[in-house]
Amino acid sequence: MQPRDLSDLSPYVPGRGAEEVARELGMDPDDLTKLSSNENPHGPSPAAVEAIRETAPNVGVYPKASHTDLAEKLAARWDVTPEQVWVTPGADGALDYLSRAFLDPGDRVLAPEPGFSYYRMSARYHHGEVATYDLAKADDFAQTPDTVLDAYDGERIVYLTTPHNPTGAEFSRAAIVDLAEAVEDHTLLVVDEAYAEYTDAPSAIDLLDTHDNLAVTRTFSKAYGLAGLRVGYGVVPEAWGEAYARVNTPFAASEVGCRAALAALDDDEHLERTVETARWARDYLRDHLDAPTWESGGNFVLAEVGDAGAVADATQRRGVIVRDCSSFGLPECVRVSCGTREGTRRAVEIINDVLTEVRA
Ligand SMILES: *Cc1c(COP(=O)(O)O)cnc(C)c1O
């Protein structure tokens, strides 16, 4: 007995976890500063933690009301109908549901390179084929309509990440509108806004009023600090919002996840503090790292360090975990997430020491 031919499917390579690294190096996880997965260094909102506690005795039943409440709350926030909000297990789940709803076997998608690997994985799980558009380092990874259109060949789904992971570059709103108007009628543009809280640029969600070939994905994993709970959502045009009921896995997001997300949405203070820290850290990293970096709209900075694998290993031995970007196709770069002020200062000191040694 064997599964189907999975040779085209590559495993997702996550940032390294503090416990994993601590076990390997015989260290205490508390002595590690983990800046490899763009998580919120302040963790979740205390209100979300309280909601998780309060929900614990109720997890014997399937989530229903909480799911409805979350879709309604998000709908009110974005001024769309609840049917337009597809609550999912992480934003990765939203990417899957869009693949389920749009891809016939053999359909092609167009994804950024370098870029988030799950776009490709999701398409392949759903028997799709993958083409890529190049983000050029020489061009500071610029994201313009032509960046996409030069490679576009009528694909069924085109993925746009703004702010982009791992480069931090953004698509302007005008660029998204231009693209929505330039692509063929059967092409869906998926705008991945996993890091949108960290930029001043407005969300593309209101473009759904005028364009029915656009979907926006968002997550509670990053700025809301709920990565461990797996809650995200897609916002889709009214015209095909009801497709959700046909493609979702029943009870997509958990009771605990929905309740925590509802509480997190009410804690503006925690979100503001999170964004403020990230902006400070982003500037600090760019000002103080002894390596070329790129402007970032996210809670991370990409830095060119030479041999990323060697640099990531060496910083890790000293207690700072950064993301080696080799798996993104950038073997000369590391991505450093924004930490607390203390964690970020410590990371910069250690990375700079390592760079001095590696270069000597
Ligand atoms: C983190 C991330 C996501 C989604 O993460 P989930 O935890 O599944 O919500 C989506 N897109 C990009 C580019 C990301 O970096």
Side-chain angles (χ1 to χ4, degrees):
M1 181 86 184
Q2 284 293 321
R4 69 180 168 102
D5 179 8
L6 301 175
S7 53
D8 252 7
L9 307 177
S10 31
Y12 181 76
V13 183
R16 306 207 63 204
E19 281 196 49
E20 172 195 356
V21 171
R23 273 180 214 164
E24 186 181 304
L25 301 178
M27 291 170 77
D28 181 343
D30 291 343
D31 293 336
L32 289 167
T33 303
K34 188 191 179 211
L35 301 178
S36 53
S37 298
N38 301 339
E39 292 145 337
N40 185 338
H42 299 305
S45 147
V49 174
E50 186 52 33
I52 292 167
R53 271 205 196 94
E54 281 173 10
T55 306
N58 308 332
V59 297
V61 295
Y62 283 109
K64 191 121 200 291
S66 59
H67 191 282
T68 307
D69 290 352
L70 181 56
E72 281 177 359
K73 195 176 185 89
L74 290 166
R77 164 163 300 218
W78 296 114
D79 197 17
V80 296
T81 68
E83 291 71 36
Q84 289 178 260
V85 179
W86 292 14
V87 173
T88 53
D92 293 344
L95 296 169
D96 275 338
Y97 287 12
L98 291 166
S99 297
R100 290 185 196 178
F102 277 82
L103 296 182
D104 278 317
D107 277 353
R108 231 156 10 111
V109 307
L110 187 64
E113 173 72 51
F116 189 55
S117 63
Y118 199 70
Y119 306 139
R120 290 169 246 191
M121 294 169 65
S122 179
R124 289 188 176 121
Y125 293 154
H126 296 89
H127 307 274
E129 313 263 323
V130 180
T132 56
Y133 60 92
D134 287 330
L135 303 173
K137 188 162 79 177
D139 206 9
D140 288 332
F141 303 106
Q143 302 197 134
T144 68
D146 283 342
T147 317
V148 178
L149 293 174
D150 287 350
Y152 173 71
D153 188 21
E155 281 79 7
R156 180 66 159 142
I157 300 180
V158 174
Y159 298 97
L160 311 177
T161 323
T162 187
H164 184 276
N165 174 14
T167 71
E170 298 181 59
F171 277 103
S172 70
R173 187 181 176 77
I176 296 171
V177 172
D178 283 356
L179 280 166
E181 281 161 16
V183 294
E184 293 170 33
D185 287 348
H186 63 264
T187 298
L188 171 71
L189 287 189
V190 173
V191 184
D192 179 345
E193 295 188 340
Y195 300 99
E197 289 83 3
Y198 298 105
T199 166
D200 286 329
S203 170
I205 292 177
D206 66 323
L207 296 175
L208 301 177
D209 285 345
T210 43
H211 297 81
D212 75 352
N213 60 344
L214 211 90
V216 178
T217 58
R218 314 249 325 185
T219 181
F220 286 93
S221 297
K222 305 286 161 56
Y224 288 99
L226 296 174
L229 280 180
R230 318 301 306 127
V231 194
Y233 58 102
V235 189
V236 309
E238 209 166 355
W240 46 272
E242 43 77 37
Y244 178 76
R246 298 174 192 273
V247 299
N248 82 324
T249 302
F251 307 106
S254 73
E255 178 70 14
V256 178
C258 291
R259 292 288 170 210
L262 281 161
L265 283 171
D266 281 337
D267 191 347
D268 291 334
E269 207 182 304
H270 186 73
L271 185 65
E272 277 163 28
R273 175 165 167 250
T274 296
V275 171
E276 190 191 305
T277 307
R279 291 187 172 177
W280 174 87
R282 198 157 81 180
D283 290 345
Y284 189 88
L285 288 165
R286 292 211 66 203
D287 289 346
H288 296 277
L289 278 177
D290 295 333
T293 57
W294 283 268
E295 194 174 331
S296 172
N299 64 336
F300 52 84
V301 165
L302 186 72
E304 185 164 6
V305 294
D307 182 344
V311 169
D313 278 349
T315 62
Q316 188 171 290
R317 282 195 296 274
R318 298 190 191 187
V320 171
I321 314 174
V322 299
R323 177 69 195 254
D324 165 7
C325 288
S326 300
S327 71
F328 284 100
L330 295 170
E332 70 288 13
C333 293
V334 295
R335 188 193 65 199
V336 187
S337 305
C338 294
T340 58
R341 283 172 168 75
E342 193 200 342
T344 304
R345 287 198 186 95
R346 176 171 182 236
V348 166
E349 203 181 306
I350 289 174
I351 296 167
N352 285 347
D353 280 351
V354 164
L355 288 175
T356 309
E357 278 168 29
V358 168
R359 285 170 186 152

